């Protein structure tokens, strides 16, 4: 077996000759044929201990946008001649000298052989920790027996690095681990047939020249893809076969949602999509900083949530619905009990518990099924018996919608209801719920607000940006499905702008104002005060990034509510003045 294997390609590294192996002599002719093909076509190579191919064409400095490191892997983001963005990874273990390649290849064979005695290679990070000592010892023994000195081991990156590489390519996820550990990578796509298609990624936060979608220099072998599927199936306990060709699960170790499709649904074989969740929960100030919404929209959402409104967050896939919903959850006071219902863990329930919130998460059956799980409808019915709580649904998409709307109309759904739904406008949300989910138009009147998340291209640029494109209110005394916009997206300013309806006529704002004993103009002033608070946090966050995080948001909101208990909501100017003084004193320490 060769330490470096070549795929057909234009350019390639020299093929590293293997040690003579009697069982492998017949394969030498095939390797020579592969080498000749590699000289004619575009090429990738891989070490014998790995199952993923990596393109090794040199990076043109003039085409490089940026370079950074993910662990020991080098990442270059570059532009191709046709303007496409390339994500080029160079894992350090793929650049080892011949002796290092051979050492890891032999160590892998020894490590896998020892696993036949009872160790399961499909376990999680805990298994890596348990296996580290064994892997370390195997590499040390093989290095000594091969005459590799400690100094040479250090030149290869050290024993810890070699151990990490061995574990990554045996009980880990291979090169996919690097992608999942890259904070810039948001989505990973492995199209079928995997060994004919480079992995695609969506990246963010790398500058204006990077518009999200990138082609990588990584190609996964069919063997690597099957190993990934085995891992996902094992950890989820969910079936995957031709009878059940879809698997959805969460990689909790990496905070990632996984969707796998196979034959016959995907006739060319297995395809995989991985979506990374944000490491830290999104907040309204953080979304303002990313220009997903402006301070006025944040102030309005804070006001509506405080007023116990029913809010649906709509948008297409990838528009940022779950991020927005998670940020809105942090606008609840700590005293509010919250029940979350979702089939993949995307909402920040665990983090909110750490912050002091009373959050009960219910994990339910995936939309495509699974053994032993309860359905969303089951969980919703149970949640209505768990006491007064705000209910947050990860996604409204099935028969649970009928239970939800029955509960909202009867008043048994708790203090507030929020959830996400697919749709690109308030009207499409109405049509989906009424016609697709079979909810009576009169029952839909329990909806108060629809927030639409969209992907826009400000100024016609190629890079798509996530924006809130409208915040709309259901007109309760109008025709079924009639909405009035409170804020709408303006292309020229790349921001949400207020409407006349927001300034003078919103029934929802007026209802909350009456409940709090305010007149309409005072309610609008309260919204503007909330907006100013979040704007101050965003501006200060440029110098103190922690002010954009959930801890700061909880403290800032808590201070606001403490002042309301003393001053009341009827004096927004005084509230703003007192809060500002507190913030200026406390900002560096919040």
């Amino acid at each position: 077996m060769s330490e470096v294997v070549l795929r057909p390609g234009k350019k390639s590294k020299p093929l590293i000759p293997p040690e003579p192996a009697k069982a492998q002599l017949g394969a030498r002719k095939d390797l020579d044929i592969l080498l000749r093909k590699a000289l004619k076509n575009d090429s990738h190579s891989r070490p014998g201990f790995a199952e993923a191919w990596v393109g090794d064409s040199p990076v043109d400095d003039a085409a490089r946008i940026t370079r950074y490191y993910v662990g020991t892997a080098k990442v270059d983001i570059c532009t191709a001649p046709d303007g496409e963005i390339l994500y080029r990874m160079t894992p350090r273990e793929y650049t080892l000298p011949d002796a290092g390649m051979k050492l890891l290849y032999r160590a892998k064979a020894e490590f896998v052989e020892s696993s036949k005695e009872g160790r399961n290679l499909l376990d999680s990070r805990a298994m890596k920790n348990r296996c580290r000592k064994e892997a370390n010892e195997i590499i040390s023994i093989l290095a000594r027996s091969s005459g590799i000195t400690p100094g040479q081991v250090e030149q290869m990156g050290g024993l810890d690095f070699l151990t990490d590489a061995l574990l990554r390519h045996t009980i880990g996820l291979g090169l996919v681990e690097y992608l999942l550990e890259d904070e810039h990578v948001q989505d990973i796509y492995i199209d079928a047939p995997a060994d004919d298609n480079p992995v695609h990624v969506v990246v963010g936060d790398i500058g204006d020249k990077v518009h999200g979608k990138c082609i990588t220099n990584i190609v996964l072998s069919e063997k690597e893809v099957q190993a990934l599927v085995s891992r996902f199936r094992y950890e989820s306990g969910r079936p995957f076969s031709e009878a059940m060709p879809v698997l959805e699960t969460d990689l909790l170790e990496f905070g990632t949602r996984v969707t796998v499709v196979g034959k016959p649904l995907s006739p060319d074989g297995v395809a995989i999509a991985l979506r990374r969740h944000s490491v830290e929960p999104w907040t309204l100030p953080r979304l303002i900083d990313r220009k997903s919404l402006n301070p006025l929209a944040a102030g309005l959402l804070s006001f509506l949530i405080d007023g116990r409104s029913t809010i649906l967050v709509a948008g297409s896939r990838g528009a940022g619905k779950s991020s927005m919903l998670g940020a809105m959850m942090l606008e609840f006071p700590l005293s509010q009990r919250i029940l979350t219902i979702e089939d993949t863990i995307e909402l920040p329930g665990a983090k909110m518990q750490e912050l002091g919130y009373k959050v009960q998460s219910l994990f339910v059956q995936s939309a495509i099924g699974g053994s032993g799980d309860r359905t969303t409808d089951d969980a919703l019915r149970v949640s209505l018996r768990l006491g007064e709580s705000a209910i947050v649904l990860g996604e409204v998409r099935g028969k649970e919608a009928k239970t939800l709307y029955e509960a909202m109309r009867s008043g048994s759904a708790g203090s507030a209801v929020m959830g996400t739904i697919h749709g690109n406008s308030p009207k499409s949300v109405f049509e989906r719920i009424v016609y697709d989910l079979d909810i009576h138009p009169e029952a839909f009147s329990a909806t108060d607000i629809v927030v639409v998340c969209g992907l826009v291209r400000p100024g016609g640029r190629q890079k798509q940006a996530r924006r809130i494109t409208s915040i709309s209110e259901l007109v309760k005394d109008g025709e079924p499905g009639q909405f009035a916009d409170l804020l709408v997206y303006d292309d020229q300013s790349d921001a949400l702008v207020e409407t006349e309806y927001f300034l003078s006529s919103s029934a929802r704002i007026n209802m909350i104002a009456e409940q709090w004993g305010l007149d309409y103009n005072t309610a609008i002033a309260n919204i503007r005060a909330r907006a100013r608070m979040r704007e101050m946090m965003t501006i200060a966050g440029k110098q103190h990034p922690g002010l954009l995080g959930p801890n700061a948001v909880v403290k800032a909101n808590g201070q606001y509510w403490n002042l309301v208990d003393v001053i009341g909501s009827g004096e927004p100017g005084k509230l703003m003045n007192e809060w500002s003084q507190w913030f200026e004193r406390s900002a560096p320490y919040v």
Side-chain angles (χ1 to χ4, degrees):
M1 177 67 184
S2 164
E3 276 71 58
V4 171
V5 183
L6 301 174
R7 287 183 91 243
K10 288 181 182 176
K11 300 177 181 179
S12 61
K13 292 179 181 178
L15 189 66
I16 299 176
E19 288 183 328
K22 294 181 181 179
Q24 299 289 336
L25 291 177
R28 185 59 189 241
K29 183 178 179 181
D30 293 336
L31 288 173
D32 289 339
I33 293 172
L34 191 59
L35 176 57
R36 286 196 296 272
K37 289 182 178 179
L39 299 177
K40 296 180 181 179
N41 305 305
D42 195 20
S43 88
H44 290 64
S45 60
R46 67 173 175 84
F49 61 81
E51 296 296 339
W53 311 85
V54 170
D56 51 15
S57 300
V59 176
D60 183 355
D61 289 341
R64 184 188 298 120
I65 298 172
T66 188
R67 170 178 287 176
Y68 58 89
Y69 288 82
V70 180
T72 56
K74 179 175 66 179
V75 175
D76 288 299
I77 307 293
C78 349
T79 54
D82 60 1
E84 195 148 23
I85 304 298
L86 305 178
Y87 179 106
R88 300 190 59 83
M89 177 185 290
T90 307
R92 184 173 181 181
E93 61 262 36
Y94 276 53
T95 64
L96 286 171
D98 297 0
M101 296 278 192
K102 189 179 300 182
L103 176 61
L104 280 181
Y105 175 68
R106 294 177 61 196
K108 179 179 180 179
E110 180 74 22
F111 186 77
V112 172
E113 181 64 28
S114 69
S115 74
K116 296 178 181 178
E117 299 175 3
R119 174 166 26 82
N120 194 323
L121 294 184
L122 298 175
D123 215 334
S124 61
R125 181 172 292 176
M127 179 61 78
K128 274 190 183 181
N129 292 334
R130 289 197 293 272
C131 294
R132 178 167 294 279
K133 182 178 179 181
E134 178 185 353
N136 196 294
E137 289 176 350
I138 288 173
I139 293 173
S140 298
I141 292 171
L142 289 175
R144 288 196 298 271
S145 66
S146 302
I148 299 174
T149 67
Q152 290 174 314
V153 169
E154 287 303 312
Q155 290 178 353
M156 295 176 188
L159 188 57
D160 287 342
F161 162 72
L162 294 173
T163 300
D164 288 338
L166 175 59
L167 295 175
R168 182 179 300 110
H169 293 283
T170 50
I171 61 177
L173 300 177
L175 296 191
V176 173
E177 277 193 17
Y178 283 123
L179 296 175
L180 291 173
E181 290 168 354
D182 185 345
E183 62 181 13
H184 299 296
V185 172
Q186 299 168 350
D187 296 277
I188 303 167
Y189 299 111
I190 303 165
D191 296 330
D195 51 9
D196 285 341
N197 291 288
V199 176
H200 287 65
V201 297
V202 176
V203 299
D205 305 328
I206 301 185
D208 294 336
K209 292 184 180 180
V210 179
H211 52 75
K213 299 176 182 177
C214 303
I215 299 175
T216 76
N217 61 332
I218 301 169
V219 178
L220 301 187
S221 68
E222 186 62 28
K223 184 177 180 181
E224 181 87 327
V225 170
Q226 291 302 324
L228 290 173
V229 173
S230 296
R231 167 80 171 264
F232 303 151
R233 184 168 51 191
Y234 175 84
E235 291 197 355
S236 68
R238 291 173 173 170
F240 182 74
S241 63
E242 288 196 7
M244 183 66 72
V246 180
L247 171 64
E248 288 186 325
T249 187
D250 285 282
L251 282 179
L252 299 180
E253 177 182 347
F254 296 98
T256 298
R257 179 178 182 174
V258 179
T259 302
V260 184
V261 295
K263 294 181 178 181
L265 185 60
S266 173
D268 292 325
V270 172
I272 304 173
L274 301 101
R275 164 162 287 189
R276 292 180 66 245
H277 309 318
S278 177
V279 176
E280 185 174 67
W282 285 92
T283 65
L284 293 184
R286 187 178 168 198
L287 289 169
I288 294 170
D289 184 61
R290 302 297 172 87
K291 297 184 179 180
S292 293
L293 75 166
N294 57 8
L296 179 61
L300 174 59
L301 290 173
S302 172
F303 179 87
L304 292 170
I305 294 166
D306 205 357
R308 301 187 173 188
S309 303
T310 297
I311 303 175
L312 294 179
V313 180
S316 59
R317 187 183 186 279
K321 300 186 300 296
S322 295
S323 299
M324 176 57 63
L325 184 61
M328 290 164 57
M329 287 173 61
L330 288 165
E331 294 302 308
F332 284 124
L334 287 174
S335 59
Q336 175 65 64
R337 187 167 183 262
I338 304 169
L339 288 170
T340 65
I341 303 173
E342 51 186 334
D343 61 5
T344 56
I345 306 300
E346 295 184 282
L347 299 176
K351 178 63 178 178
M352 290 180 70
Q353 287 180 342
E354 294 175 12
L355 294 170
Y357 281 94
K358 296 177 281 293
V359 180
Q360 174 61 57
S361 298
L362 300 179
F363 185 55
V364 299
Q365 185 182 89
S366 168
I368 48 80
S371 59
D373 297 326
R374 304 301 297 271
T375 67
T376 303
D377 190 53
D378 293 335
L380 182 56
R381 292 182 182 279
V382 169
S383 73
L384 298 175
R385 298 193 293 271
L386 290 178
E388 195 280 332
S389 305
I391 297 176
V392 181
L393 273 75
E395 185 172 346
V396 180
R397 61 183 171 192
K399 66 180 182 179
E400 74 277 357
K402 187 164 290 188
T403 304
L404 176 65
Y405 274 90
E406 287 174 358
M408 289 193 294
R409 293 195 75 199
S410 67
S412 60
S415 59
V417 176
M418 299 195 301
T420 69
I421 188 167
H422 283 280
N424 55 17
S425 69
K427 187 68 174 178
S428 68
V429 170
F430 171 78
E431 292 172 347
R432 174 162 168 72
I433 288 179
V434 171
Y435 300 123
D436 296 347
L437 303 182
D438 197 27
I439 303 299
H440 195 278
E442 290 185 3
F444 183 79
S445 64
T447 305
D448 295 319
I449 301 293
V450 172
V451 178
V452 179
C453 301
L455 295 170
V456 302
R457 291 168 55 193
R461 294 190 293 269
Q462 285 298 305
K463 182 180 179 181
Q464 290 184 318
R466 293 184 175 92
R467 297 287 188 267
I468 301 300
T469 56
S470 69
I471 299 177
S472 305
E473 171 185 320
L474 181 67
V475 179
K476 302 296 177 75
D477 56 358
E479 293 293 323
Q482 180 181 348
F483 286 86
D485 292 330
L486 297 169
L487 303 178
V488 292
Y489 178 75
D490 176 62
D491 291 311
Q492 297 299 317
S493 61
D494 187 26
L496 287 161
V497 296
E498 57 198 33
T499 64
E500 186 61 34
Y501 184 78
F502 164 77
L503 292 172
S504 60
S505 312
S506 167
R508 185 62 197 168
I509 293 176
N510 190 59
M511 180 180 292
I512 297 172
E514 289 180 351
Q515 291 173 349
W516 294 354
L518 312 177
D519 60 42
Y520 195 90
N521 288 335
T522 303
I524 295 295
N526 185 281
I527 291 171
R528 296 193 188 283
R530 293 170 186 255
R532 177 57 183 155
M533 292 174 191
R534 284 147 187 83
E535 183 179 30
M536 288 179 63
M537 294 183 69
T538 305
I539 293 172
K542 303 290 185 185
Q543 185 175 359
H544 303 287
L547 291 172
L548 303 177
N551 293 284
V553 167
V554 169
K555 291 179 182 178
N557 286 348
Q559 178 64 19
Y560 171 79
W561 285 310
N562 289 337
L563 291 171
V564 168
D565 287 341
V566 176
I567 300 171
S569 297
E571 297 186 61
K574 187 174 181 180
L575 274 174
M576 183 64 215
N577 183 56
E578 293 288 333
W579 186 92
S580 297
Q581 291 182 34
W582 168 83
F583 184 72
E584 289 172 358
R585 294 192 306 268
S586 308
Y589 313 105
V590 170

